[in-house]
Amino acid sequence: MLNKTETVTQVPKLSQVLFERRENSFNSLAALPSNVEAIEAALMFSAGLNPFVALVGPSGWGKTHLLNAVAHRLSHDLYVLPEPVSAIDYLSNPSRVESTGPLLLDDVQEAINKTRTKMALRLNLERRVKCGKPTLLAFTSPKPNRALRSFLPIARDWTIASMGAAEPVERLLLLHQMSGAEGLALSPRLSKVIADHMLGNGRTLAGALKRLRLSGSNWLDSSATLRAFGLLDPFFADNGTWDLKHKVLRVAEHSKSQFIKVNVSDLALYTMLHEAGLSEIDVARAIGIEPSEAYLRASRFKAQLSDSELIRGYVRQFIEIVVDELARD
């Protein structure tokens, strides 16, 4: 039991993380093929043309944002801000929430996983449908299924709209809007790699952009792009085909003939440690040497840069090749 001074730490929703400095309105949504059906259903609901709507989709792709966008729109039309709440919180005190007008419930799947809360919620929803009280529900599920449809009272009165996970081409559009909201300028190659190779959901993308924002706002040239890959390397951990260290070493192996005046292995070491900012331990393990040796070799190479325009040119050329290869993979 929590006392009055204790608080519960909750994982932030995509809408909280992604648009914390902007209104959660329909204007701040990126309309994509995967979510346009849900956006249209939510717009119809907020306009009073579709009183019973269920939004269904996987976690982290903006269902909560849509609920808040509807609340924002209704606040202008009804001069009252309906507060989206979780289904579990609603069931703890239905009368408090229902007194505000339209009902906006999030995380409904949590309430229907248990028989008691499922029955209580269905009874309350049935009363609302019979009384014609507008109700918008959000379910976290890969797609609508028979169990969900059978749960809805008087199912024929409901519009069920899907909100899918974004495909890579859609992620590019989403990244453009998200980076704009964060005040970030991303190179096309950086955006493409993130869209194509970073797994996870919208929260993953939001977290990656926030990590970049902590280190700067301009990620346009090749050097900045490689540095961004180094900063975001942990965000690619779920992708077994992505290993920045091995990709840099592969480029070094294939481009030896272009860098005949230097030890290409040391060039790769310097690039990984000082340009991409990767961990000495991880880099040393990838090469099969001790971290101390990796540090010394990269430091010696770095010391040569101030005295040689040729080596500085090599570094710029090598980074360009690496970034191009990453974007082509």
Side-chain angles (χ1 to χ4, degrees), residues 1-258:
M1 180 74 68
L2 294 175
N3 60 40
K4 293 182 179 180
T5 61
E6 291 177 318
T7 59
V8 176
T9 301
Q10 297 181 334
V11 176
K13 298 289 187 181
L14 174 61
S15 54
Q16 296 169 319
V17 175
L18 174 53
F19 298 105
E20 65 182 8
R21 293 182 296 179
R22 305 176 65 191
E23 288 181 335
N24 288 325
S25 68
F26 285 101
N27 291 332
S28 61
L29 277 164
L32 307 170
S34 58
N35 66 17
V36 67
E37 176 185 309
I39 292 175
E40 289 177 351
L43 281 168
M44 294 285 283
F45 177 86
S46 62
L49 301 176
N50 216 344
F52 308 110
V53 173
L55 306 176
V56 184
S59 176
W61 288 109
K63 297 186 301 297
T64 299
H65 189 163
L66 257 184
L67 292 183
N68 285 315
V70 169
H72 180 265
R73 175 68 62 86
L74 291 175
S75 70
H76 290 287
D77 296 341
L78 304 178
Y79 304 103
V80 61
L81 180 62
E83 179 186 0
V85 297
S86 73
I88 296 296
D89 287 344
Y90 163 73
L91 289 174
S92 68
N93 190 356
S95 60
R96 177 185 65 84
V97 178
E98 294 208 13
S99 63
T100 62
L103 180 63
L104 313 179
L105 292 187
D106 203 358
D107 294 321
V108 178
Q109 76 286 343
E110 295 181 2
I112 65 176
N113 284 335
K114 297 180 180 180
T115 302
R116 183 177 178 181
T117 53
K118 179 179 180 179
M119 292 180 60
L121 180 59
R122 197 177 193 284
L123 284 173
N124 284 341
L125 292 179
E126 187 173 2
R127 294 190 194 101
R128 292 188 63 85
V129 173
K130 289 180 177 179
C131 295
K133 295 181 178 180
T135 306
L136 176 62
L137 310 177
F139 296 79
T140 295
S141 176
K143 58 183 180 180
N145 52 42
R146 183 177 298 178
L148 185 150
R149 296 176 189 277
S150 65
F151 166 75
L152 296 173
I154 316 178
R156 65 179 182 276
D157 290 346
W158 290 83
T159 295
I160 302 176
S162 296
M163 194 169 194
E167 297 296 328
V169 66
E170 297 176 302
R171 289 178 180 234
L172 277 174
L173 298 173
L174 185 58
L175 279 169
H176 176 72
Q177 179 154 335
M178 293 167 70
S179 59
E182 287 290 345
L184 292 171
L186 307 185
S187 71
R189 290 177 296 185
L190 175 57
S191 295
K192 182 179 186 303
V193 169
I194 293 174
D196 289 348
H197 298 289
M198 188 175 290
L199 305 182
N201 55 30
R203 295 191 191 101
T204 308
L205 299 180
L209 294 182
K210 286 193 172 296
R211 178 157 188 162
L212 289 180
R213 189 67 185 85
L214 290 173
S215 296
S217 59
N218 190 320
W219 303 93
L220 294 173
D221 63 29
S222 296
S223 180
T225 298
L226 181 61
R227 177 65 176 170
F229 289 142
L231 284 168
L232 299 181
D233 200 44
F235 287 83
F236 293 96
D238 291 338
N239 186 342
T241 66
W242 175 271
D243 189 316
L244 181 56
K245 301 177 293 298
H246 290 163
K247 290 176 184 292
V248 173
L249 292 173
R250 184 185 65 190
V251 170
E253 180 64 27
H254 293 168
S255 59
K256 285 181 178 180
S257 61
Q258 300 180 55

